[in-house]
Amino acid sequence: MTFPTDLTNVNAFKIHPAIGLARLANNPDFYEFFDYEKQRTAGQAQALKFMSVYNGRHVMMRQAVRFKIFAYGSDGAELGELTQEAMTALGIVSTWTANVANRKLNTWSNGATPVVAAQASATGADTGRLDGANPWAADKVWLGDIRGDGLFIPPTGGVYRKDANKTIPDYSGHARDNGVLDTTCDGSISVALTNVGARPIIPACVIVAPQDHSPDVGPGQIDNFTNKDFVRETRALLGIAADSALSGLGYAMDLAMMKTMNAQYDPGMEICLAASRALPNPASAFYPRGINHIDAKEIRPSYGPGGASPGQLTGGLCSTWQSDLSACLDYWTSTYPDSIQYPAAPQTRELARKVYSAAGPRMNNPEDLNAYIDMMEVGRDANSDPFNLVGTERDPGEDVGDTPAAPFPLKPWVTNA
């Protein structure tokens, strides 16, 4: 008998995707990345909705990630997914754990501001909430939720401030970020399995990052100074051949997720892999390849001994993320002012790409970003041209207008999502 009937030929388990990317938004609704990925690969990309109506406006949904367990044989070949049905038949119970941190302020304040860290576990229908200690108040910083089925849900994207009147700084140096804390983070996703003996279970990584407003376009499709293919660049960093390929559904999940990540490492919006105070040796943040059940071609961050600490992969980024994003969007709108064509373009719209980037409102106010990033259009690659995207998910008349509304709350909403 063999897997999944029994575990006789199972040598190890791995969690996939190796890097799970969960994206912030201030919308209580969320979608799951791989559910959408299945629909995209089935030719249904243009039917997907990344926005839902909240407070009368179409607002970006949060991007959740479902982690899965795969079995591997002694030769390193994938044997298949350890599904819930298989676990039930084999008497296996899974308990998922997320161990994450935001160490941006800790890094750039030379340790004066503590690391905001959280750990939670969940089994079955349970949900574990990741609450870190607020460095300036008695309440908690929400960093996400982990469910007993392996689903990681990011928090909402508001900010915590040392003082109520502390404003989000523009992009002009990390030292100015002190006093404003965002809800991004990174860390490990692990699972404990009963009745599997001493078989190792290789954990995964989760990154909580800002939104992707062009989900049909991978960063590598616009290959220039600020948009680089994450897989290619990371392989170069780790000494993996550029044309490497791994077979199996788990590795396919890894690749699908990594294709949505930007590999501009200085600073980058998902992972910062520039050598810096936060991560002096970026290559050391990944498992050594070719040993201990890690394939020689595998890209998998490590939070074990000698690897990264939770929060290090995002530690080199600005805190808050709005500071990074204001610089990135300002560059984008200056370089590609006509990159999105709106069906009914408003006269003015904060955060709208198109001609307004050069002649009208610019995307360079981080407080406006905190309020409006969720309302920015989703640019769809309807014409197979990443330089000519089409906005499809907002209704006419939903433009923000000349006067920005109040930012989202100083602290993220507390929800039961």
Side-chain angles (χ1 to χ4, degrees):
M1 298 177 72
T2 58
F3 182 84
T5 305
D6 68 20
L7 304 182
T8 302
N9 61 333
V10 175
N11 198 45
F13 295 99
K14 291 184 185 182
I15 299 173
H16 290 281
I19 303 173
L21 185 59
R23 295 189 182 272
L24 299 162
N26 287 293
N27 190 336
D29 293 338
F30 64 86
Y31 64 91
E32 196 280 313
F33 175 84
F34 288 103
D35 173 57
Y36 271 37
E37 182 68 13
K38 184 186 302 182
Q39 296 178 64
R40 279 194 293 268
T41 56
Q44 302 170 22
Q46 295 303 317
L48 297 176
K49 295 296 182 183
F50 297 87
M51 289 180 157
S52 64
V53 177
Y54 186 82
N55 284 349
R57 294 182 185 271
H58 283 84
V59 179
M60 290 290 294
M61 291 188 285
R62 292 176 287 162
Q63 176 177 292
V65 181
R66 188 176 304 280
F67 291 90
K68 297 184 178 182
I69 308 164
F70 286 81
Y72 288 81
S74 59
D75 61 353
E78 180 190 300
L79 302 176
E81 181 187 349
L82 182 64
T83 63
Q84 183 57 58
E85 291 77 13
M87 285 192 283
T88 299
L90 295 169
I92 297 172
V93 176
S94 61
T95 299
W96 290 85
T97 297
N99 181 10
V100 302
N102 180 327
R103 63 177 60 242
K104 297 176 182 179
L105 291 182
N106 176 264
T107 297
W108 300 112
S109 67
N110 292 316
T113 304
V115 174
V116 179
Q119 180 173 310
S121 299
T123 302
D126 296 340
T127 297
R129 183 179 170 96
L130 293 151
D131 282 325
N134 187 331
W136 307 303
D139 59 1
K140 299 295 184 180
V141 176
W142 183 26
L143 296 179
D145 295 322
I146 182 70
R147 289 189 176 178
D149 59 358
L151 183 70
F152 184 94
I153 309 169
T156 52
V159 298
Y160 294 80
R161 305 172 197 247
K162 184 176 182 180
D163 303 303
N165 59 354
K166 181 73 174 179
T167 59
I168 301 172
D170 60 11
Y171 182 74
S172 57
H174 292 299
R176 292 190 60 202
D177 297 336
N178 293 327
V180 186
L181 174 70
D182 69 14
T183 55
T184 64
C185 63
D186 68 86
S188 66
I189 298 292
S190 59
V191 65
L193 301 174
T194 64
N195 296 329
V196 299
R199 293 173 178 84
I201 307 169
I202 312 301
C205 161
V206 67
I207 304 289
V208 176
Q211 272 295 340
D212 178 2
H213 288 269
S214 300
D216 297 337
V217 177
Q221 292 177 255
I222 306 175
D223 194 5
N224 58 20
F225 178 72
T226 56
N227 293 267
K228 296 182 180 180
D229 183 271
F230 180 88
V231 178
R232 183 181 65 244
E233 297 296 320
T234 307
R235 283 173 176 166
L237 172 71
L238 300 178
I240 301 172
D243 59 352
S244 296
L246 291 171
S247 61
L249 296 177
Y251 293 129
M253 290 176 67
D254 296 351
L255 187 61
M257 180 61 78
M258 289 190 289
K259 282 183 175 180
T260 73
M261 298 169 62
N262 197 310
Q264 169 59 20
Y265 293 159
D266 190 13
M269 286 309 299
E270 290 98 4
I271 293 179
C272 181
L273 288 180
S276 66
R277 187 189 313 167
L279 196 62
N281 181 6
S284 70
F286 294 82
Y287 278 101
R289 284 142 310 282
I291 60 174
N292 297 330
H293 310 287
I294 304 299
D295 192 278
K297 304 173 183 178
E298 188 169 358
I299 298 172
R300 182 176 290 266
S302 169
Y303 292 97
S309 298
Q312 268 194 301
L313 291 180
T314 54
L317 305 175
C318 281
S319 183
T320 64
W321 61 263
Q322 290 91 344
S323 300
D324 267 330
L325 196 61
S326 63
C328 294
L329 293 184
D330 191 58
Y331 167 83
W332 185 281
T333 55
S334 300
T335 307
Y336 308 111
D338 296 304
S339 62
I340 290 186
Q341 309 296 322
Y342 295 98
Q347 293 300 307
T348 60
R349 178 187 289 165
E350 288 285 328
L351 303 182
R353 302 175 190 172
K354 202 174 161 51
V355 295
Y356 313 113
S357 62
R362 299 294 289 270
M363 301 184 193
N364 58 3
N365 185 330
E367 291 288 347
D368 289 353
L369 287 170
N370 192 48
Y372 293 135
I373 190 65
D374 306 312
M375 300 177 195
M376 183 179 169
E377 182 62 284
V378 174
R380 309 305 293 271
D381 188 11
N383 303 313
S384 298
D385 181 359
F387 295 95
N388 184 13
L389 306 180
V390 177
T392 61
E393 294 192 43
R394 291 182 51 144
D395 295 332
E398 282 192 276
D399 52 288
V400 173
D402 294 310
T403 304
F408 280 110
L410 297 184
K411 299 172 184 176
W413 302 331
V414 177
T415 73
N416 294 320

